[in-house]
């Protein structure tokens, strides 16, 4: 019998002090929602969807309601869900009228017809798939003030509050889900790593599940989540994999972000080279660990310190 586990994250950047508690607590709440599914013997897929929906409802994060607007003042949402048991996936990008893109991604996956659908086409299909459309205004929520954020690597758009979840269930199945409004003031139609399979997320029962967050244009160059699963397949421990890939992100492509991993044995890995990564981990007990900074062996050497 497996020991279930869920990890959620709420983005990697420098979270200004007044926003830290909301980031920590939102992750805790989402992870516990997913945990309830796992503890009742539910599927990892249901757990990640439930956890991501909580984060999409929380305006603290850049997903669902409260997402960052593009240059035209509109919210455009991306999401991806993947089932490690079957390797089926569903993905959606640049939708403007969907309150829970993670659920639309799941319905697309379950349709068996397509895997990745974008924009107006995805919205046109949503209702037939059982996902109601919303008024775009419902997605607008006052964005938390980010004044005082003085850590911005050149080229990276902050804040970076994308959300993700990885889980292992009692039956040994792995799943991952991600959801984002993308980067603030992006060009209309811009899509980052989050809905791209292998980049923003990947799950395979044979190895593990991983979700990435941060500067999407850089993250996608390393196909970070699939790379994580491949390193797990070579026998590397999840924490070592997370740290190695985040180091590569910085050294190879001058990227910034974070990575969460759970392997098929339920071991976890988290790393980030931004000052913060909001996260929560729930294991049997339930034992809950929630925070905005995950200590790694090399955190002091490769994480840039925020200007103060
Ligand atoms: N990776 C996301 C994107 O580039 C942003 C984030 O993770 O916060 O769209």
């Amino acid at each position: 019998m497996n020991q279930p586990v869920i990890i959620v994250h709420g983005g990697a950047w420098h979270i200004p002090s007044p926003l830290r508690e909301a980031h920590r607590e939102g992750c805790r709440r989402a992870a516990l929602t997913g945990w309830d599914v796992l503890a009742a013997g539910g599927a990892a897929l249901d757990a990640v969807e439930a956890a991501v929906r909580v984060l999409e409802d929380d305006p603290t994060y850049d997903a669902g309601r409260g997402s960052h607007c593009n240059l035209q003042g509109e919210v455009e949402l991306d999401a991806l869900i993947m089932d490690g048991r079957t390797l089926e996936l569903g993905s959606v990008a640049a939708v403007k009228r969907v309150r829970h893109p993670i659920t639309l991604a799941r319905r697309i996956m379950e349709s068996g017809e397509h895997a990745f659908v974008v924009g107006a086409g995805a919205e046109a299909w949503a209702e037939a798939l059982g996902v109601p459309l919303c008024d775009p205004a419902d997605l607008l929520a006052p964005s938390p003030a980010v004044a005082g954020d003085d850590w911005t690597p050149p080229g990276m758009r902050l804040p970076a509050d994308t959300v993700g979840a990885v889980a292992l269930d009692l039956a040994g199945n792995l799943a991952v889900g991600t959801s984002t409004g993308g980067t603030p003031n992006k060009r209309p139609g811009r899509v980052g790593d989050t809905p791209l399979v292998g980049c923003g997320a990947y799950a395979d029962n044979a190895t593990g599940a991983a979700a990435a967050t941060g500067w999407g244009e850089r993250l996608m160059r390393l196909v970070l989540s699939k790379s994580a699963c491949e390193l797990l397949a070579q026998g590397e421990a999840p924490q070592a994999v997370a740290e190695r890939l985040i180091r590569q992100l910085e050294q190879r492509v001058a990227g910034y972000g974070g990575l969460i991993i759970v392997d098929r044995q339920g071991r976890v890995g988290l790393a980030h080279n931004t000052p913060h990564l909001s996260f929560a981990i729930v294991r049997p007990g339930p034992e809950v660990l929630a925070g905005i900074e995950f200590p790694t062996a090399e955190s002091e050497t490769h994480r840039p310190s925020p200007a103060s």
Side-chain angles (χ1 to χ4, degrees):
M1 191 69 107
N2 285 283
Q3 293 278 34
V5 59
I6 184 164
I7 315 174
V8 309
H9 78 75
W13 54 300
H14 177 216
I15 306 170
S17 342
L19 307 182
R20 291 179 189 168
E21 189 55 20
H23 277 77
R24 220 179 346 247
E25 279 314 301
C27 284
R28 180 196 299 273
R29 211 169 34 246
L32 282 168
T33 300
W35 175 258
D36 286 345
V37 174
L38 298 175
L45 203 58
D46 292 330
V48 297
E49 183 186 359
V52 170
R53 284 177 65 98
V54 170
L55 297 164
E56 287 175 337
D57 277 335
D58 187 337
T60 303
Y61 304 101
D62 177 32
R65 199 166 73 87
S67 289
H68 305 312
C69 291
N70 65 17
L71 279 172
Q72 290 175 342
E74 294 174 327
V75 167
E76 285 182 311
L77 303 173
D78 313 325
L80 165 64
I81 196 162
M82 185 164 184
D83 182 350
R85 187 175 67 84
T86 59
L87 302 185
E88 288 172 326
L89 65 104
S91 183
V92 66
V95 291
K96 299 177 185 173
R97 294 186 295 157
V98 179
R99 178 73 184 252
H100 289 294
I102 192 70
T103 295
L104 179 54
R106 179 154 183 189
R107 296 285 173 274
I108 289 170
M109 177 181 85
E110 289 169 348
S111 77
E113 188 180 346
H114 297 305
F116 190 6
V117 186
V118 307
E123 290 177 7
W125 198 18
E127 284 190 304
L129 291 171
V131 179
L133 294 179
C134 67
D135 184 334
D138 293 350
L139 300 172
L140 300 172
S143 269
V146 291
D149 178 31
D150 44 17
W151 181 87
T152 311
M156 183 175 175
R157 289 169 188 241
L158 296 174
D161 284 315
T162 288
V163 308
V166 292
L168 172 70
D169 65 28
L170 276 164
N173 293 313
L174 287 153
V176 62
T178 55
S179 186
T180 189
T183 49
N185 301 318
K186 63 186 178 184
R187 288 181 189 279
R190 176 268 184 193
V191 177
D193 61 306
T194 307
L196 303 183
V197 63
C199 298
Y202 199 79
D204 181 350
N205 274 11
T207 54
T213 181
W215 186 358
E217 281 74 7
R218 298 297 165 99
L219 288 163
M220 64 174 79
R221 295 185 191 174
L222 292 182
V223 195
L224 219 56
S225 297
K226 173 69 167 147
S227 300
C229 291
E230 280 171 5
L231 290 170
L232 293 175
Q234 290 166 23
E236 209 164 315
Q239 186 57 32
V241 169
E243 292 184 26
R244 177 207 285 258
L245 287 176
I246 290 299
R247 198 163 54 239
Q248 262 181 32
L249 177 70
E250 187 167 329
Q251 292 175 351
R252 185 75 176 86
V253 299
Y256 290 90
L259 188 60
I260 60 172
I261 304 174
V262 58
D263 74 0
R264 66 197 183 100
Q265 295 158 261
R267 296 180 301 170
V268 306
L270 290 87
H272 53 108
N273 66 344
T274 48
H276 304 126
L277 169 76
S278 58
F279 72 92
I281 307 171
V282 189
R283 298 188 179 93
E287 178 200 328
V288 186
L289 178 64
I292 56 160
E293 202 170 341
F294 194 79
T296 68
E298 301 173 37
S299 56
E300 297 315 315
T301 54
H302 76 269
R303 190 178 311 158
S305 48
S308 54

